[in-house]
Amino acid sequence: MKNDPVNELNPEQLSQVSRENLSDAIVQQIVHLISTNALKPGDRLPPERILCKTLGVGRTSVREALKPLLTMGILEGRGSAGTFVAQDGQFLEKTLEWGLKFNPKQVEDIIETRMMLETHSAYWAANRAAPGDLSDMKQSMDDMRDSINDVEAFRDADVKF
């Protein structure tokens, strides 16, 4: 994990944003940097003051942009240590959690989609797995089966799988 923001993000990768929808433009830039692996899970974002200077905006705009990214689990705040790109899997977990809280009717659609995607993913993962990986996959499946009535434990095992 990197801790030096100067080495993590080249200021040339960011550009100043227009005055309308400043926070949306900042969110788009950060999401773009994450999606192109310019920022990777565990990387620390530069401090607010550096982001403000680089983007040409005030602290309010930067804070407003970071809030939804923190809420969605794309970023994680670690107190005085700074703001970091969340580890793999946390974003998926938060996305599912929020989606199910706000629109429970989508549960069936999510299950169908996961069945399509995960069937093939599990097939390829099993074919390419080392013996220890197969053991971990089996343990996750056992944990899901054993926690069928415990939503949080089931979710944790499911995300691990």
Side-chain angles (χ1 to χ4, degrees):
M1 202 174 352
K2 298 178 183 176
N3 287 327
D4 182 6
V6 175
N7 292 331
E8 295 172 346
L9 183 64
N10 181 345
E12 294 172 3
Q13 293 174 296
L14 298 170
S15 59
Q16 289 193 1
V17 295
S18 66
R19 294 289 171 204
E20 48 188 83
N21 298 319
L22 292 176
S23 63
D24 289 345
I26 296 167
V27 167
Q28 287 176 0
Q29 285 195 53
I30 292 172
V31 169
H32 175 74
L33 291 171
I34 293 169
S35 68
T36 59
N37 282 326
L39 285 172
K40 296 175 180 56
D43 283 354
R44 188 176 123 192
L45 266 62
E48 276 184 16
R49 60 181 164 65
I50 293 175
L51 284 174
C52 292
K53 184 177 180 181
T54 304
L55 297 167
V57 299
R59 284 191 176 206
T60 302
S61 297
V62 169
R63 288 178 182 160
E64 192 175 312
L66 296 180
K67 279 182 191 177
L69 297 173
L70 289 162
T71 300
M72 289 187 291
I74 295 172
L75 300 177
E76 59 181 21
R78 297 184 192 163
S80 62
T83 303
F84 294 79
V85 177
Q87 297 298 322
D88 291 335
Q90 290 179 344
F91 174 65
L92 175 62
E93 182 180 332
K94 286 284 188 182
T95 301
L96 290 172
E97 181 181 329
W98 282 96
L100 295 175
K101 283 183 180 180
F102 290 114
N103 194 349
K105 290 169 42 174
Q106 292 182 341
V107 172
E108 188 174 324
D109 292 339
I110 290 171
I111 291 171
E112 289 174 359
T113 302
R114 287 188 65 188
M115 285 177 65
M116 289 185 296
L117 294 172
E118 291 178 4
T119 301
H120 291 289
S121 296
Y123 170 81
W124 287 111
N127 278 328
R128 297 174 178 159
D133 296 329
L134 292 174
S135 174
D136 290 344
M137 291 171 72
K138 183 182 180 322
Q139 183 62 53
S140 293
M141 290 177 6
D142 291 344
D143 291 346
M144 284 188 279
R145 185 186 60 250
D146 294 344
S147 62
I148 197 74
N149 293 318
D150 181 347
V151 174
E152 288 183 25
F154 183 89
R155 182 197 64 219
D156 291 344
D158 188 33
V159 168
K160 184 177 178 189
F161 178 77

